[in-house]
Amino acid sequence: MEAEIRPHAGVGPFQLGMPAAEVRDMVQRQRLLRAVPGDERPGRIVLTHDDARMDVVLGFTKGALSGVELFRFQNEDADVRVLFDGLDVFRTPSGDLLEQLAERGHAVEENDLGFDALPELNMILAHRGSHEHPVDAGAGPLPYDYVLLADWI
């Protein structure tokens, strides 16, 4: 599975502004991600990729897709790539990713709260729960494990 983050547009097949019914139909047709039963709340759809153990949360405002949250896969051997500007967001160490994004002209606002923002792109990158992901001792900085792309932040 490969998903391209396209600021102001969407992630993979999910286009910001899509009606909720269209999103549900697309998920049923593709069968790559499945809806998580029992996790239905107004204004959101929770999806999972079983093999990769990766979650996607779709948020809706007034019936239209307004945000996509991506939670890093837990199966390290999974054939999953989440790309932004050609960079693998969930496999590139966070410090390296920020450096490469800055080199490409993206304004990055770093903070000590565990998340970094690319405000002009309405995108947030975060270390949400890296303890859940296996790493080798001395492996260095971890990649981000959460991305939010929204129509505004």
Side-chain angles (χ1 to χ4, degrees):
M1 178 178 109
E2 189 168 287
E4 180 78 26
I5 299 171
R6 296 175 320 284
H8 308 293
V11 177
F14 303 112
Q15 304 293 316
L16 295 176
M18 282 178 81
E22 187 177 331
V23 171
R24 282 188 184 90
D25 290 344
M26 181 181 54
V27 169
Q28 286 180 340
R29 281 193 314 273
Q30 283 189 340
R31 296 185 178 186
L32 180 62
L33 299 168
R34 72 172 173 84
V36 176
D39 201 356
E40 295 179 19
R41 289 189 212 165
R44 75 179 207 159
I45 298 172
V46 179
L47 304 170
T48 192
H49 185 285
D50 288 320
D51 291 338
R53 295 190 347 248
M54 176 180 169
D55 294 326
V56 177
V57 177
L58 307 173
F60 297 85
T61 303
K62 297 182 180 177
L65 184 62
S66 58
V68 179
E69 296 176 272
L70 303 167
F71 296 85
R72 189 179 191 274
F73 47 87
Q74 304 229 349
N75 176 358
E76 293 298 319
D77 296 326
D79 188 19
V80 173
R81 291 177 13 124
V82 174
L83 302 173
F84 170 62
D85 204 4
L87 302 169
D88 193 334
V89 175
F90 288 149
R91 293 195 192 274
T92 305
S94 57
D96 294 347
L97 183 66
L98 290 183
E99 185 177 298
Q100 292 174 38
L101 291 173
E103 288 171 359
R104 293 171 186 212
H106 298 292
V108 178
E109 291 181 4
E110 297 180 63
N111 68 47
D112 294 330
L113 300 174
F115 70 89
D116 301 309
L118 289 91
E120 82 279 3
L121 304 178
N122 294 328
M123 191 163 99
I124 291 176
L125 304 166
H127 293 285
R128 189 184 61 79
S130 297
H131 62 278
E132 298 172 6
H133 303 283
V135 293
D136 294 330
L142 295 173
Y144 289 106
D145 58 10
Y146 172 84
V147 175
L148 167 64
L149 179 69
D151 53 9
W152 64 274
I153 56 169

